[in-house]
Amino acid sequence: MADPRGFLKVRQRETQPRRPVPVRIMDWKEVYEAQEKGVLKAQAGRCMDCGVPFCHQGCPLGNLIPEWNDLIWRDKGEEAMERLHATNNFPEFTGRLCPAPCEASCVLGINQPAVTIKQVEVSIVDQAFENGWVNPLPPARLSGKTVAVVGSGPAGLAVAQQLTRVGHTVAVYERDDKIGGLLRYGIPDFKMEKEHVDRRLEQMKAEGTRFRTGVAVGTDVTWEQLRRRYDAVVVATGATVPRDLPIPGRELEGVHFAMDYLVPANRVVAGETVENQINAGGKHVVILGGGDTGADCLGTAHRHQAASVTTLAIGKQPPAERASHQPWPTFPTLFEVASAHEEGGERTYLASTVEFVGENGKLTGVKVAETEFVDGKRLPKAGTERIIPADLVFLSLGFTGPEPAGITEQVSAEFDGRGNVARDGYYMTNTEGIFVAGDAGRGQSLIVWAIAEGRACAAAVDKFLMGSTILPAPVAPTDRAMAVL
């Protein structure tokens, strides 16, 4: 454990400081500043000897949180990095992008602010890269087996790194021009600069993972061709089909899916030239949906210097503290203020979008009404309609599942009732040798689940190819435990 009396001596939770709002909205750099070493050590020292560390069960990866908190408190950064990497391939991603269900399960959080687990995590890995402690781990020998991983988001990259390290020859296929999936083009740089993706990819290349960009599997190359060429194929394409809102006025110019706004914006930040880019500069923006993607649109609109930004959510504003039906150590739904919310904009709850209004085919406003609950359904309340001026609307309503991309027609892989690629308890589809991991099989979820599923799927693939495996399997895709792994 860390400081035996740390949680008694340091009761205040001190998170990583953010750069001043007037400064950070003028650029695309990460909003966070480095935390002073003494503060980080004191925060790690708040981790207590709780007997049963519930933070383990809160984290799908099973991160060894008390161990690396203790090592940071003892100034053993390289050892902390090794314990962190023992369960997580990409802590620099989760430390920036994960909502930290581990902190919701922290035992200290019962009657004090939880340990700043996420902050300690990202500080460990950043220090490790800065000091040159993160090195390639190539396999001692090759197995002679080949694996194709389709999709280069966190799930696909985790599968690829795990299988490469045990000796399989792995090729990652990505339809975009660069590797990273939504990490590359979906997440704005103010949340995670792309150097963090690039330096991890350099490690993976040095270990032997091969990358094939600009290849759309299903069209440029078929799933059947991959199946014949490789001993196993992993579907890790994510859940990228956006949820639409088919109401009057949907066809108006100015109504866009969130990713149609974020992806070009990220490309421009990366130095690319994008024709007909959607730019919110000087415009009135309305964002439908109060989740992380909506916050990404909000922060991007601020940096485009939008005239105004309004975020609408159909449901009630979440509480500031745990509700009685979400007791510790469950992951509660709470009202959160992301960095983008600090930067401005209006947040409105219980707002039902009724119609997009416009003139001459162009959007001019959004008609909304108060939400009322009738027989468990959320409906617009008659007589409460009003129009919010809007030049742009971004639909940030989540995702419904993966794109089919010909997988059913070409290799007979089936989809389940929720629109995801169906799989058994060992990540395999109904077609032998074709596996699925991450959001493509799970549905839209957290980055920590994507990495956990990637690691577990890699174990299943390794066992399929070799008859046994030494790879860890942190999670199962079904309630049935993967006992044989």
Side-chain angles (χ1 to χ4, degrees), residues 231-250:
D231 296 307
V233 177
V234 178
V235 182
T237 54
T240 56
V241 178
R243 180 173 284 107
D244 206 346
L245 185 61
I247 61 174
R250 174 62 181 87

Side-chain angles (χ1 to χ4, degrees), residues 176-178 180-188 194 259 262-264 266-267 270 272:
D176 281 332
D177 58 331
K178 294 181 180 179
L182 289 183
L183 294 172
R184 173 73 63 182
Y185 290 128
I187 303 296
K194 301 308 175 279
M259 285 301 160
L262 293 175
V263 171
N266 286 329
R267 287 184 176 277
E272 301 180 28

Side-chain angles (χ1 to χ4, degrees), residues 36-46 69 72-75:
E36 194 272 321
K37 183 178 179 181
V39 174
L40 183 71
K41 180 177 178 179
Q43 291 297 309
R46 295 180 69 234
N69 274 328
I72 285 296
W73 184 70
R74 298 177 187 277
D75 290 323

Side-chain angles (χ1 to χ4, degrees), residues 408-433:
T408 299
E409 297 82 0
Q410 295 171 10
V411 289
S412 302
E414 297 177 351
F415 283 71
D416 62 22
R418 298 187 299 124
N420 304 315
V421 182
R423 56 192 183 175
D424 64 13
Y426 306 97
Y427 292 89
M428 190 185 293
T429 69
N430 59 297
T431 301
E432 185 177 15

Side-chain angles (χ1 to χ4, degrees), residues 45-60:
R46 295 180 69 234
C47 187
M48 56 194 294
D49 186 9
C50 54
V52 178
F54 276 80
C55 55
H56 284 197
Q57 70 86 31
C59 176

Side-chain angles (χ1 to χ4, degrees), residues 283-482:
K283 298 180 180 179
H284 298 285
V285 177
V286 173
I287 301 168
L288 303 186
D292 288 341
T293 304
D296 293 345
C297 291
L298 177 63
T300 301
H302 289 322
R303 284 156 182 78
H304 283 166
Q305 299 183 9
S308 68
V309 189
T310 303
T311 301
L312 304 179
I314 192 172
K316 298 178 181 179
Q317 178 175 321
E321 298 182 355
R322 285 182 182 273
S324 59
H325 66 282
Q326 294 178 326
W328 178 90
T330 61
F331 187 46
T333 301
L334 299 175
F335 179 74
E336 296 182 357
V337 179
S339 64
H341 299 132
E342 287 182 339
E343 296 163 0
E346 180 180 344
R347 302 173 75 177
T348 302
Y349 290 88
L350 290 176
S352 294
T353 305
V354 178
E355 180 183 357
F356 301 121
V357 297
E359 296 178 358
N360 302 319
K362 293 186 177 181
L363 179 76
T364 60
V366 179
K367 181 183 286 187
V368 299
E370 294 180 12
T371 302
E372 64 177 351
F373 294 82
V374 180
D375 297 329
K377 296 181 180 180
R378 297 178 296 192
L379 300 173
K381 184 177 180 180
T384 64
E385 296 85 355
R386 62 187 178 96
I387 294 179
I388 301 174
D391 303 301
L392 289 172
V393 166
F394 299 129
L395 303 180
S396 176
L397 306 173
F399 300 87
T400 61
E403 299 174 31
I407 190 171
T408 299
E409 297 82 0
Q410 295 171 10
V411 289
S412 302
E414 297 177 351
F415 283 71
D416 62 22
R418 298 187 299 124
N420 304 315
V421 182
R423 56 192 183 175
D424 64 13
Y426 306 97
Y427 292 89
M428 190 185 293
T429 69
N430 59 297
T431 301
E432 185 177 15
I434 297 183
F435 298 78
V436 59
D439 289 2
R442 181 182 183 83
Q444 181 187 1
S445 189
L446 306 178
I447 184 173
V448 68
W449 274 107
I451 298 173
E453 285 213 359
R455 290 171 63 88
C457 180
V461 173
D462 188 37
K463 184 177 185 299
F464 169 77
L465 296 175
M466 308 301 292
S468 63
T469 184
I470 61 172
L471 291 174
V475 293
T478 67
D479 293 335
R480 181 160 56 91
M482 300 170 69

